[in-house]
Amino acid sequence: MIKPLEPKQLYHRCDLGQLLFETTADLEPLSETIGQQRVLESIQFGVGMQHEGYNLYVMGSAGLGRHTIVRRELESQAKGRATLYDWCYVMDFQKPHAPRALQLPVGVARKLQHDMEQLVDDLFNAVQAAFHSDEYRRRAQEINDKFKTLEDAMTEALDEKAKQRGLALLHTPTGYALSPRKDGAVLNADEFKVLPEDEQDKIKTEITAIKEELKSAMTQLPVWQQQMRKQFRELDQEITSVTASQLIAELELTYQKTAGVPDYLAAVKQDVIENMEQFRAQAPEEEEKARLNWSAEFSRYHINVLVDNAETQGAPIIYEDNPTYQNLMGRIEHMARFGTLLTDFTMIKAGALHRANGGYLVLDAEQLLSNPFVWDGLKRALNAQEISIEPIERKLSLVSTISLEPQPIPIDLKIVIVGGRQLYYMLKAYDPEFSLLFKVAADFAEEMPREKHNDQLYARLIGTLQQREKLRGITPGGVACIIEESARRAESGEKLSLHMGCLTDLMKEADYWANGVGHEHIGSDDVQAAIKAQTRRVDQLREQLHEEILSGTLLISTEGVQLAQVNALSVIQMGDYMFGVPARVSATARMGAGQVIDIEREVDQAGALHSKGVLILSSYLASRYAKHQPLSVSASLVFEQTYGLIEGDSASAAELCALLSALGDLPIKQSLAITGSINQHGEMQAIGGVCEKIEGFFDICDKRGLTGKEGVIIPLANVKDLMLRHRVIEAVEQGKFSIYGVTHVEQAMELLTRKVAGTPNAKGLYPLDSINGHIQLRLAEWTALRLQYAGQQGQDEA
């Protein structure tokens, strides 16, 4: 018979002899990441590969420290990359709707912005002074005098002709007028009326003639005035050009070797000359200047610094936690004025791609894919190797207003997406561009082997986290308890969990409990208190289910024997908390045609894996008992009192045992429970959640009172995974509870029925008092009855 496991097999203890320190405060912090060498190699390769498409997808479950490790590795790589630039947008005076992008050396954008602001102030003051100078007044007076002389000469010539005709040319506020003259005196209207009619007619004729000459002469005045305005404008432009050239010359000298800036300064000078009127306007007082937004008059000369890397050390590392389209690609803002939305190039704002240009951009996969248009926008930018800022409302055709079209900015950066494995494989399968753009996968390990020196290395990891979080020092006993709990969470006594989030939380909570009892250091009692408190906070459903079992609402027997009834062990997962609970599996068997009915499958209450397990045990029955005769049985299996989906094949061993009990009329001990999956040859296969399943059945037996007959049967392959709670181990040590590891379902049946499985003789027959003998005899009887019934039915038909 199979012997129960030894207590030392139920818990893989940490060797305190390896923990040679007083507290973790004495340990040297780790300078490297443990257990993630594959990830580190992948990140180093992806970052170092300078060809297109070698961006990274970092995958793993939450809590592994993905962001921390990625940032640390990027920071170490960023120190060696110093090819950075500042980026800014400036006015394109020829195409105001398409601002120009300037790529400047680090720190230059900020300086150029300040210099241009100072230039505008200097231009305003200098132009004002130039237009109030004596030189400008003298030259303006010369132009006025020149055209005044021409007008006076014209007027004198007309006046002489008028005198010769007995008329006077009068200059009035509204222009020129002709009046009759007699004896050198100008006649008024009354004096004119008393003249003889023939003289009046003669004077009117002369006036008409002079008017024609006056009209012809007056046509020269607009031409002269146009010429005068042109000369004044040329003078103004000359004065402005001289003034602007003097001021801009210094900037041209400063930025002569900075690509793009000399051309921009030349365009600024030309625009200042063409728009010198804005510099001649009288500046209001400071209060009025602020209220009227005086600076907006000269915003066309501002420098919109999009990216300023003046204070960036090494390559920039940007983590965008809210990657909306505008936050990633940049945006163009608007300002409401008099009921109208206005914008200009100074309202262009950088996105995360701009800020990370020349460095690294880290994004969360879930956030990236949940925001509309972001994924397509990112792929478009990576394919084009440039960022185009396009308003999202234009992409959606929601507005038709005129907007800006900023010049695209070329990009050279690495994108690091952090997400889960499922998203990675879905993108690989359904997005053909993903494999072209993200060629490097960095897969985080969930656990590390618990090898000879790894407990000591893990202790240093605990010490590193303790010092980083500024917690109390942890004693060797506390460290051992944490290491053992980490192994339990890895669901293997031979592995250690690498979930840094859970590990750090446990240490913080242990520090809380140590503080509550006044401990100077964190000991094993404090760690155990934290573990119990974590469990208690989410343990209500487990307690309720156990209460239902103990009260008899859910039928679970833990004593006596029952025919075709087995205690199976299931596990319930709620978030990151998992607990075990027993469930009754029952079977019925009768003469039939070899059909095994899974009731859960018939009512769509079974998952695919559970249905697979039932089909496998059907194959086992046929292979073992129907090689030389028909399998003359019809059977049914069911999980009693279950009202939700049944998934997984870890109960297939229990179902097979119940079915074998029904076939051979073999009573099953109810003090034992069983978990494990089987293959077609009846071999027991490892399952998950073995510790929780054992503890779930133990809790029920313990509350009912342990008699020493209770126990659990598990696959032998799961023994290495055992990290049971101390109360279970204590019961085993006292002989009150037993745990058996088996390799075949027949070994489990021997424990459940207290009978031997039996070995077939040369004819394939088993001993009648064996398990297989009972089943073989029953099946033979049913086969004979079927054949007899079939023969009789044939005679009746004949």
Side-chain angles (χ1 to χ4, degrees):
M1 295 292 288
I2 301 298
K3 293 183 178 181
L5 298 177
E6 297 291 333
K8 64 181 180 181
Q9 295 178 274
L10 308 181
Y11 195 81
H12 296 73
R13 296 187 182 276
C14 178
D15 184 5
L16 288 175
Q18 295 185 23
L19 307 180
L20 304 177
F21 53 86
E22 292 187 8
T23 71
T24 52
D26 303 329
L27 294 175
E28 181 181 355
L30 286 172
S31 58
E32 72 280 354
T33 302
I34 66 171
Q36 301 294 357
Q37 189 59 35
R38 187 194 310 271
V39 166
L40 299 181
E41 292 172 359
S42 299
I43 294 176
Q44 291 168 5
F45 170 76
V47 170
M49 196 69 171
Q50 297 304 311
H51 297 282
E52 291 183 14
Y54 284 87
N55 299 293
L56 295 94
Y57 187 102
V58 178
M59 55 180 164
S61 58
L64 288 171
R66 296 171 300 176
H67 284 279
T68 302
I69 293 175
V70 165
R71 185 165 190 89
R72 183 166 64 241
E73 287 301 307
L74 292 181
E75 286 175 349
S76 66
Q77 298 291 328
K79 296 176 182 178
R81 297 188 64 179
T83 309
L84 294 180
Y85 299 96
D86 289 344
W87 287 94
C88 59
Y89 274 113
V90 297
M91 180 78 162
D92 187 330
F93 302 105
Q94 300 300 318
K95 296 183 290 184
H97 69 283
R100 290 175 53 197
L102 288 183
Q103 179 182 0
L104 303 173
V106 172
V108 173
R110 183 187 300 183
K111 183 177 184 300
L112 180 61
Q113 183 185 50
H114 177 268
D115 289 344
M116 287 302 298
E117 290 175 355
Q118 187 63 48
L119 175 65
V120 170
D121 289 341
D122 292 345
L123 279 172
F124 185 83
N125 295 326
V127 170
Q128 289 280 331
F131 281 103
H132 287 85
S133 66
D134 292 339
E135 174 66 15
Y136 178 78
R137 290 175 179 175
R138 181 186 65 76
R139 295 182 62 180
Q141 188 61 45
E142 288 178 354
I143 296 173
N144 273 323
D145 291 346
K146 175 182 176 181
F147 287 97
K148 184 70 167 69
T149 300
L150 291 175
E151 186 178 357
D152 290 346
M154 180 197 69
T155 304
E156 289 177 2
L158 289 173
D159 187 50
E160 184 62 31
K161 289 182 179 182
K163 286 181 180 181
Q164 293 175 1
R165 295 173 181 266
L167 298 174
L169 182 63
L170 303 177
H171 190 73
T172 67
T174 59
Y176 292 95
L178 291 170
S179 181
R181 182 200 299 266
K182 188 174 183 180
D183 299 332
V186 177
L187 301 179
N188 57 30
D190 294 334
E191 292 174 337
F192 179 75
K193 289 179 181 180
V194 299
L195 294 176
E197 289 185 7
D198 57 342
E199 191 172 350
Q200 289 183 18
D201 292 339
K202 181 181 178 182
I203 291 173
K204 290 179 179 179
T205 301
E206 295 295 340
I207 288 175
T208 301
I210 293 296
K211 277 185 177 180
E212 290 299 322
E213 293 187 25
L214 179 62
K215 181 178 179 181
S216 176
M218 286 298 105
T219 56
Q220 294 295 319
L221 287 179
V223 176
W224 292 342
Q225 290 172 354
Q226 183 180 10
Q227 292 176 353
M228 182 176 66
R229 288 194 298 269
K230 180 180 179 182
Q231 292 186 18
F232 269 118
R233 182 171 182 80
E234 290 174 351
L235 174 62
D236 292 348
Q237 289 181 343
E238 180 184 345
I239 295 298
T240 304
S241 177
V242 171
T243 305
S245 297
Q246 292 173 347
L247 294 175
I248 294 177
E250 184 177 353
L251 292 181
E252 289 176 331
L253 182 62
T254 302
Y255 297 100
Q256 62 180 341
K257 295 183 179 180
T258 305
V261 177
D263 292 340
Y264 170 67
L265 291 176
V268 168
K269 180 167 67 175
Q270 185 62 35
D271 190 74
V272 169
I273 294 171
E274 294 175 358
N275 297 277
M276 72 282 188
E277 291 84 2
Q278 60 186 344
F279 292 96
R280 297 186 62 181
Q282 183 66 36
E285 298 298 328
E286 291 300 322
E287 295 81 1
E288 282 293 298
K289 185 185 295 185
R291 187 177 68 83
L292 296 174
N293 195 17
W294 181 260
S295 62
E297 297 288 339
F298 306 101
S299 63
R300 60 196 293 114
Y301 307 117
H302 286 184
I303 303 294
N304 180 10
V305 178
L306 202 68
V307 179
D308 183 4
N309 285 315
E311 299 177 3
T312 303
Q313 301 295 324
I317 302 172
I318 304 299
Y319 170 58
E320 180 54 64
D321 61 346
N322 183 26
T324 63
Y325 183 84
Q326 292 182 330
N327 287 350
L328 190 67
M329 309 297 296
R331 66 187 184 277
I332 301 174
E333 296 182 341
H334 293 75
M335 178 174 59
R337 183 179 293 179
F338 305 116
T340 303
L341 292 177
L342 303 177
T343 188
D344 59 36
F345 75 96
T346 64
M347 297 184 186
I348 300 174
K349 303 301 179 183
L353 282 171
H354 297 94
R355 298 194 302 275
N357 201 1
Y360 312 96
L361 176 60
V362 182
L363 302 167
D364 285 315
E366 291 81 0
Q367 295 291 333
L368 181 67
L369 295 172
S370 62
N371 281 294
F373 311 107
V374 175
W375 179 239
D376 288 338
L378 178 61
K379 291 191 296 182
R380 188 164 53 250
L382 291 176
N383 283 320
Q385 290 293 295
E386 64 181 21
I387 317 168
S388 296
I389 302 178
E390 183 179 5
I392 189 97
E393 54 270 17
R394 182 190 296 178
K395 289 176 62 66
L396 297 175
S397 301
L398 295 178
V399 294
S400 58
T401 56
I402 297 176
S403 186
L404 301 179
E405 297 178 6
Q407 180 183 356
I409 291 178
I411 56 173
D412 177 21
L413 78 166
K414 290 287 184 180
I415 305 293
V416 181
I417 296 179
V418 180
R421 293 183 180 86
Q422 184 178 7
L423 273 179
Y424 173 79
Y425 292 115
M426 288 180 66
L427 288 169
K428 289 279 284 187
Y430 298 110
D431 190 339
E433 291 182 290
F434 178 76
S435 295
L436 300 176
L437 297 174
F438 292 87
K439 297 180 179 180
V440 182
D443 192 356
F444 269 76
E446 301 289 327
E447 62 270 327
M448 62 181 285
R450 195 177 173 186
E451 296 172 346
K452 183 176 180 180
H453 300 293
N454 276 2
D455 280 0
Q456 174 68 17
L457 190 61
Y458 205 80
R460 287 185 60 195
L461 171 63
I462 294 171
T464 302
L465 296 175
Q466 172 260 315
Q467 295 171 36
R468 188 185 71 187
E469 299 295 334
K470 297 181 173 56
L471 306 176
R472 288 171 172 79
I474 307 174
T475 65
V479 170
C481 192
I482 293 174
I483 291 175
E484 291 161 2
E485 178 63 19
S486 176
R488 178 182 169 91
R489 291 182 178 181
E491 297 191 44
S492 174
E494 298 178 351
K495 294 184 181 295
L496 294 171
S497 172
L498 289 174
H499 281 254
M500 297 298 104
C502 296
L503 179 60
T504 305
D505 290 344
L506 178 59
M507 293 167 57
K508 289 178 180 178
E509 293 174 27
D511 183 76
Y512 168 83
W513 292 107
N515 180 65
V517 295
H519 288 170
E520 182 180 357
H521 304 297
I522 299 173
S524 59
D525 292 342
D526 304 312
V527 177
Q528 287 293 341
I531 294 171
K532 290 179 181 178
Q534 285 181 343
T535 302
R536 178 169 173 76
R537 289 195 294 269
V538 293
D539 203 30
Q540 184 166 273
L541 178 59
R542 185 192 68 86
E543 290 182 354
Q544 291 175 347
L545 287 174
H546 284 195
E547 288 174 1
E548 294 294 316
I549 293 173
L550 295 172
S551 67
T553 303
L554 295 178
L555 301 178
I556 298 293
S557 299
T558 56
E559 59 183 9
V561 293
Q562 293 289 340
L563 187 64
Q565 179 178 298
V566 176
N567 289 325
L569 298 176
S570 62
V571 69
I572 296 176
Q573 180 91 39
M574 298 190 307
D576 59 354
Y577 176 60
M578 183 167 60
F579 65 90
V581 63
R584 175 178 289 180
V585 172
S586 63
T588 60
R590 54 208 172 272
M591 185 175 65
Q595 182 182 15
V596 177
I597 298 174
D598 176 12
I599 294 178
E600 275 80 21
R601 184 176 60 184
E602 295 297 320
V603 297
D604 295 327
Q605 194 181 343
L609 293 180
H610 179 265
S611 298
K612 175 185 175 184
V614 174
L615 293 175
I616 288 174
L617 68 87
S618 300
S619 298
Y620 171 78
L621 289 177
S623 173
R624 176 55 61 94
Y625 303 111
K627 286 184 177 180
H628 307 293
Q629 63 182 23
L631 187 63
S632 302
V633 62
S634 289
S636 61
L637 291 166
V638 68
F639 266 78
E640 305 287 0
Q641 294 183 288
T642 56
Y643 308 101
L645 181 69
I646 305 296
E647 181 58 302
D649 63 350
S650 65
S652 57
E655 292 172 317
L656 180 55
C657 290
L659 186 55
L660 294 176
S661 171
L663 289 173
D665 284 336
L666 300 167
I668 296 289
K669 291 172 62 177
Q670 300 300 293
S671 58
L672 294 178
I674 182 172
T675 182
S677 71
I678 59 166
N679 61 24
Q680 294 187 104
H681 304 291
E683 295 171 327
M684 294 282 281
Q685 302 172 144
I687 42 83
V690 64
C691 293
E692 289 78 7
K693 292 176 178 178
I694 293 172
E695 291 163 359
F697 187 68
F698 172 82
D699 287 341
I700 298 300
C701 297
D702 186 36
K703 291 178 180 177
R704 287 178 173 175
L706 295 172
T707 64
K709 298 179 181 180
E710 293 81 8
V712 173
I713 302 169
I714 65 171
L716 188 63
N718 278 119
V719 173
K720 68 181 186 305
D721 302 328
L722 294 179
M723 291 294 293
L724 296 172
R725 296 298 187 204
H726 295 309
R727 50 193 169 86
V728 181
I729 299 174
E730 291 172 0
V732 172
E733 290 174 340
Q734 296 169 9
K736 295 181 178 180
F737 195 77
S738 301
I739 299 172
Y740 302 90
V742 299
T743 60
H744 198 277
V745 68
E746 290 183 344
Q747 295 174 328
M749 282 297 292
E750 289 179 345
L751 291 169
L752 291 169
T753 62
R754 290 175 293 186
K755 290 181 177 294
V756 295
T759 303
N761 59 22
K763 296 181 179 181
L765 300 177
Y766 290 92
L768 293 179
D769 60 344
S770 67
I771 295 172
N772 287 316
H774 279 267
I775 298 171
Q776 195 175 56
L777 179 60
R778 174 58 58 85
L779 291 175
E781 292 174 352
W782 285 349
T783 300
L785 289 173
R786 280 192 66 201
L787 293 175
Q788 180 181 352
Y789 175 76
Q792 183 178 351
Q793 188 176 27
Q795 293 176 0
D796 293 342
E797 290 177 356

